[in-house]
Amino acid sequence: MSRFDEEWPAHRPAVFGAAYRITGSVADAEDIVQDVWIRAHAHDGIDDVRDLRAWLITVAARRAYDVLGSARARRVDYVGPWLPEPLLTGPDAAEPVLLDETAGTAMLLVMEELSPPERVAFVLRQAFDVPYEQLADVLGKTPAACRQLASRARRKIAAALPRRPAPVAERERVLAAFCSAYERRDEAALLELLDPDATYTTDGGGRVFAARKVIAGAGRVVTALLRVSARSALRIVPAQVNGRLEFLVYRDGGLAAVDTAEVADGRITAYSRVLNPAKLPSLGESRR
């Protein structure tokens, strides 16, 4: 067995993680992983590469950079709000990924507002600490230009995420209370758990019924959640998604959606629901 074949399983999560953060798509990331594996096998000197992990991440980033352009073009015609494809990261996850805040739903959404070079520069620097010289090879720019791209991306993200996310323990407490209130259909308790300016975003992609616009205001959000739950007999189950506690949504025993939430100052500030069936296959093995 070659050195590459021996080390590939250990490096695959980093390859997938880089591709997923850059594209926001599990399907695209899986395709990129396959492309990287094929290219590595075709590379005559692959077993002599000094830093194999860095080489693989660089190849994945180049491919993801190419894919990102077409992915953004597809989103122009997307029906309704677009949300990142969720990734199950619990013990039964089919695709492990190196996890940090750059893989969270809120961060992936903010990164959608970056230019493709800014997004690649931010991901490779923030999540993988790739040197600017190596980043220059990926983007075809000078190291100085890449430094500026990464710096500009950090400033944009800091401006778009002004509220400090809740600590893990506080987040889990709030979401546990939300789950309990949701099961009881307790409107008053749900209102207490939502920030007055909370938003609710649903992504159906035109394939299933979903709101075409973001719903704003705690009262309107609670009304929408309870109306849909009563009509469709939905049940939410806590699960690790994108590296943190979120919810899988079930209808008649089958996975119907994935819910994610942002928590700050003891309340939910944003609630999102991915309903598009095309974004759920990677979670399809999970059933309750």
Side-chain angles (χ1 to χ4, degrees):
M1 181 180 290
S2 69
R3 174 198 165 205
F4 169 73
D5 288 327
E6 289 179 347
E7 296 186 11
W8 170 250
H11 296 312
R12 189 186 190 284
V15 173
F16 180 87
Y20 177 65
R21 286 169 173 84
I22 292 172
T23 65
S25 165
V26 173
D28 286 340
E30 289 174 340
D31 289 343
I32 290 167
V33 168
Q34 289 299 313
D35 288 345
V36 172
W37 185 86
I38 291 170
R39 177 168 177 178
H41 262 278
H43 185 61
D44 290 337
I46 189 64
D47 286 339
D48 298 322
V49 173
R50 184 176 61 180
D51 189 340
L52 184 57
R53 180 180 183 275
W55 187 90
L56 291 169
I57 289 174
T58 299
V59 174
R62 286 198 192 103
R63 182 72 185 107
Y65 185 31
D66 293 338
V67 170
L68 185 56
S70 61
R72 288 167 71 94
R74 292 196 302 268
R75 288 165 200 167
V76 170
D77 298 322
Y78 199 80
V79 178
W82 178 92
L83 291 170
E85 189 173 347
L87 177 68
L88 185 66
T89 51
D92 297 326
E95 291 291 351
V97 63
L98 296 177
L99 298 169
D100 60 23
E101 69 278 4
T102 61
T105 300
M107 184 67 78
L108 290 172
L109 274 173
V110 171
M111 284 197 286
E112 282 292 304
E113 303 304 316
L114 302 178
S115 69
E118 287 172 342
R119 183 165 184 164
V120 172
F122 177 78
V123 167
L124 293 188
R125 285 295 300 168
Q126 195 74 15
F128 299 97
D129 198 26
V130 172
Y132 288 111
E133 292 74 17
Q134 189 175 333
L135 185 51
D137 291 337
V138 174
L139 295 176
K141 301 181 182 294
T142 66
C146 291
R147 186 184 297 272
Q148 291 179 343
L149 284 169
S151 178
R152 188 159 62 240
R154 285 193 296 270
R155 290 196 301 271
K156 288 182 178 181
I157 287 173
L161 296 173
R163 300 183 70 171
R164 185 177 180 84
V168 173
E170 179 184 342
R171 173 185 173 78
E172 294 185 351
R173 176 186 62 77
V174 170
L175 292 190
F178 176 88
C179 186
S180 175
Y182 185 88
E183 288 179 346
R184 302 192 313 271
R185 307 297 187 260
D186 189 334
E187 182 176 355
L190 289 171
L191 282 170
E192 281 296 315
L193 290 165
L194 264 64
D195 184 271
D197 297 322
T199 59
Y200 176 43
T201 305
T202 55
D203 176 350
R207 301 183 60 175
V208 296
F209 177 78
R212 297 293 181 89
K213 295 182 179 180
V214 176
I215 297 171
R220 295 182 66 199
V221 171
V222 170
T223 297
L225 285 170
L226 293 182
R227 182 186 298 127
V228 172
S229 178
R231 184 173 64 239
S232 305
L234 299 180
R235 187 166 60 94
I236 61 174
V237 177
Q240 287 290 318
V241 179
N242 289 67
R244 64 182 189 176
L245 180 67
E246 305 286 8
F247 298 117
L248 302 185
V249 182
Y250 292 91
R251 180 192 298 116
D252 299 326
L255 184 67
V258 177
D259 288 3
T260 60
E262 301 305 321
V263 178
D265 302 323
R267 288 185 168 184
I268 294 172
T269 58
Y271 200 85
S272 301
R273 174 166 287 172
V274 176
L275 291 150
N276 187 343
K279 296 183 178 183
L280 302 180
S282 61
L283 303 168
E285 298 144 357
S286 178
R287 291 286 186 271
R288 294 293 186 276

